[in-house]
Amino acid sequence: QSSVQAYGLIDVSAGQFQDAGAIKDKTVASGKMSTSYFGFKGSEDLGGGLKANFAIESFLRADSGSAGRFNGDTFWARNAYAGLSGSLGSVTAGRNTTSLFVSTLLFNAFGDSFGFSPSIRHYFTSGTVTGDTGWNNSISYSSPKLGGLSAQLQVAGNDGKTLGRRYGGNVLYFGGAFAGSFAFQKVKEGTTAGTTTWQLGGSYDAGFAKFFGQYGKVANDTTNVDYKLGEVGASVPVGASGKLLAEYGKLSVKGRKTVSLGYDYAFSKRTDGYVVYMNDKLPVVDAGNSFALGIRHKF
Amino acid sequence: QSSVQAYGLIDVSAGQFQDAGAIKDKTVASGKMSTSYFGFKGSEDLGGGLKANFAIESFLRADSGSAGRFNGDTFWARNAYAGLSGSLGSVTAGRNTTSLFVSTLLFNAFGDSFGFSPSIRHYFTSGTVTGDTGWNNSISYSSPKLGGLSAQLQVAGNDGKTLGRRYGGNVLYFGGAFAGSFAFQKVKEGTTAGTTTWQLGGSYDAGFAKFFGQYGKVANDTTNVDYKLGEVGASVPVGASGKLLAEYGKLSVKGRKTVSLGYDYAFSKRTDGYVVYMNDKLPVVDAGNSFALGIRHKF
Amino acid sequence: QSSVQAYGLIDVSAGQFQDAGAIKDKTVASGKMSTSYFGFKGSEDLGGGLKANFAIESFLRADSGSAGRFNGDTFWARNAYAGLSGSLGSVTAGRNTTSLFVSTLLFNAFGDSFGFSPSIRHYFTSGTVTGDTGWNNSISYSSPKLGGLSAQLQVAGNDGKTLGRRYGGNVLYFGGAFAGSFAFQKVKEGTTAGTTTWQLGGSYDAGFAKFFGQYGKVANDTTNVDYKLGEVGASVPVGASGKLLAEYGKLSVKGRKTVSLGYDYAFSKRTDGYVVYMNDKLPVVDAGNSFALGIRHKF
């Protein structure tokens, strides 16, 4: 009768973690390669190709046994929605992961890594894009795949007083060796600055290596400062289960330059181990140097 | 070995939500038709007809990815108990949903809807009944069903200093076209006012429509103000899967008058879609007008 | 595909709960015999005897529907880790239950009872040991069992500023009628006092009764006060499903003397009922007298 599935990911690592200009944190950490979470989801066949879908997903910090990505984060911050899907696509309402975040993680060598991905760092933790990687009070539409093409559109209501209304989306192409995306989002001014962001991303799998590139702009519509973000990377297979990872990114105006190098070993499709080095530079302050040995387990 | 079941409900809607005297909130909302939640429950056969039972259930707001019904709500606020059941009935201890709330939701056309049910609104969100719809530190006894009759009794200890000791219960009858209930509860004075509540409710299924009626009194034992609450409604089948819903309720002293009209379409036993209009009136202030389009998915 | 298991324990009781020098709390309580919790765990076979493992476990208070052991507790406070295991043992990283806590609960008649076990009370809720029963930012290694012997080693990073670095471990022996342990831990000074603890524990199953003994020392390295803790107890089978439980413990310097007597009846392997009396004495203040009737259900 019940079709609910429990799933998630626990990522723990030991090492030194240091952002540019920050202290060295030598510790056991959680979610550096992928943010740890657990959740429930389910799908019900309503007949005629129509399905009802839901998901509730909760970030957690395994290092301290805390819920959320930070103290004060909402419990179901990763996703919390219900909706319908069919031959015309999928609609979900509630809290939805943004299209911009999905495009960002798909086209860089370190994926969704808040610890080590230069792309994630420059778009989401450097004071550029305003608004979270998930939008409250939002409706998200995902098109069906046509050839290798699909698109996503999202609108969100005024998020209390912090953010104004928001809309965004992306177009994704996956076909053969090449894949690409264009993402766009506009966050209107609330008590937080409004921003307009676009991003082009692509990857090419040459067999001996998969290459990644991203270029984007974040325009702060409140301060009228424009940030330009460029990122390049590669993933190089080493044997049947290993990959060398490299990504470099540069964020204009802030002058942030971040490079990450890693080796990832897949114990299985669900479990991998990794070693990573990251150098994170900002003007004036000392560069940050991070290195970590970790394990990431999906369930 | 493990017999735990994960289950819940996600209800999301888009529309305008406005209580009498309040601003218009145009947004994507959670739990307006049924409060969204998830939980775990299980039952173990101990032999001789005896069973051990437990449930932990957590409200959530899918619109913002937050736990609880409101900021500061306890995590397992819907239910959190363990107990035994057998031929003599069921006893559970912990946090238990009150008999009054169960009787209220069973005998009005909009069920447990905190967004749209006049009954729920007048008993539980209009400053009449004191104490929550679930009682901390409580023991709940449910009788077996005899014919169509069953009864529930509940006692709860002093809830910190907010509420004094509490007791309550109901008698329920389900037989043929007619169903009815009598519910009673007494909440003793703490720092919150003490209240004594009774409620009569009934429904009659005439085939072409099911009719609902409730009449009750909430006596505030601290201020000596008595509130009288009357509610009538109907649910009219439209085709194989549709229902028109209507409910009107009046709350004395406060002078609150609320009417709700809706159409509910069952995609399946677990998933329905709805459109609802509600008009909520209080003296002096502007009336509230709400309308919503939503989906409710049980899992 | 997904191998996640949901599990936990709900313990509820009704009675009078009174610590030495404290008021009588007559209520329905949660987790007095075993702290209530729920969690998820899973294990993936990676081949060659290697496994990936994870667990996230959350305490809860069924009496009030609250998450955690107390207001402000982290959500996944019981355990939150991922790791690998194989023929050389098991390593987990994240938040790990301490070896000292495990040794303490294994060698006293009331197990992990924060409500009734004199041992748990004297080590963990009497202001002796500093640091929690689970350590944040920790790595835990558990050896394979050699004969009846196994060992555990744990290290933890600086826990913010509250605690300094920590390490500890135990050696456990289980063989025939006799079992024993030696546990050790050092918590370095942070804003909380540093402490060094060792503990010897043992049990002997004479058939008609199982006897328990513990002796340990907690040296407060900040105040230079040494606490000595001695505990003795027994568990006496009564019929096929019953057990009489008795435990006495004495904590030096504080002058705390606690005795607990109980009867536990196993409805099944997963569900038991209990009655317990506890007398808890401290110098000068009134003794505390607790008695409770409860049910404990594992799922």
Side-chain angles (χ1 to χ4, degrees), chain A residues 137, chain B residues 11-33 63 113-116 121 274-278 280 287-295:
Chain A
N137 310 105
Chain B
D11 175 321
V12 286
S13 55
Q16 171 181 300
F17 305 93
Q18 184 188 26
D19 296 334
I23 59 155
K24 288 171 188 170
D25 189 13
K26 292 175 192 178
T27 191
V28 173
S30 168
K32 291 292 182 179
M33 197 62 158
D63 55 344
S113 172
F114 271 79
F116 309 122
R121 180 168 294 258
Y274 57 84
V275 286
V276 179
Y277 167 75
M278 181 179 74
D280 184 36
N289 286 290
S290 301
F291 30 85
L293 170 69
I295 182 172

Side-chain angles (χ1 to χ4, degrees), chain A residues 1-4 40 44 46 50 52 54 56 74-77 80 82 84 93-95 136-137 139 165, chain B residues 5-6 10 12 14 26-28 38 40 60 62-67 75 267-268 270-271 295 297 299:
Chain A
Q1 175 184 345
S2 181
S3 66
V4 57
F40 304 101
E44 183 195 9
L46 301 174
L50 200 63
F54 86 96
I56 48 174
T74 57
F75 195 84
W76 301 105
L84 296 171
R95 182 175 164 91
N136 290 350
N137 310 105
I139 295 176
R165 292 189 189 273
Chain B
Q5 187 191 343
I10 307 291
V12 286
K26 292 175 192 178
T27 191
V28 173
F38 87 105
F40 304 100
L60 65 98
D63 55 344
S64 61
S66 302
F75 194 84
F267 291 107
S268 72
R270 288 170 45 200
T271 304
I295 182 172
H297 175 65
F299 57 90

Side-chain angles (χ1 to χ4, degrees), chain A residues 99-180:
Chain A
S99 304
L100 176 65
F101 181 65
V102 171
S103 281
T104 306
L105 75 88
L106 284 173
F107 296 99
N108 83 87
F110 284 87
D112 66 336
S113 174
F114 272 80
F116 309 122
S117 164
S119 300
I120 297 289
R121 178 169 296 258
H122 296 175
Y123 281 94
F124 300 108
T125 66
S126 294
T128 54
V129 171
T130 51
D132 203 349
T133 55
W135 281 351
N136 290 350
N137 310 105
S138 63
I139 295 176
S140 182
Y141 166 75
S142 296
S143 78
K145 279 178 193 166
L146 298 169
L149 272 174
S150 65
Q152 197 172 46
L153 281 173
Q154 304 183 314
V155 294
N158 194 307
D159 182 12
K161 286 183 177 113
T162 309
L163 301 170
R165 292 189 189 273
R166 291 146 284 159
Y167 54 92
N170 63 15
V171 178
L172 294 171
Y173 174 79
F174 284 92
F178 175 75

Side-chain angles (χ1 to χ4, degrees), chain B residues 1-4 40 44 46 50 52 54 56 74-77 80 82 84 93-95 136-137 139 165, chain C residues 5-6 10 12 14 26-28 38 40 60 62-67 75 267-268 270-271 295 297 299:
Chain B
Q1 174 185 344
S2 182
S3 66
V4 57
F40 304 100
E44 183 195 9
L46 301 174
L50 199 64
F54 86 96
I56 49 174
T74 57
F75 194 84
W76 302 105
L84 295 171
R95 181 172 165 92
N136 290 350
N137 309 106
I139 295 175
R165 292 191 187 272
Chain C
Q5 187 191 344
I10 307 290
V12 286
K26 293 175 191 179
T27 191
V28 173
F38 88 105
F40 303 101
L60 66 98
D63 54 345
S64 62
S66 303
F75 194 84
F267 290 106
S268 73
R270 288 171 44 201
T271 305
I295 183 173
H297 175 65
F299 58 92

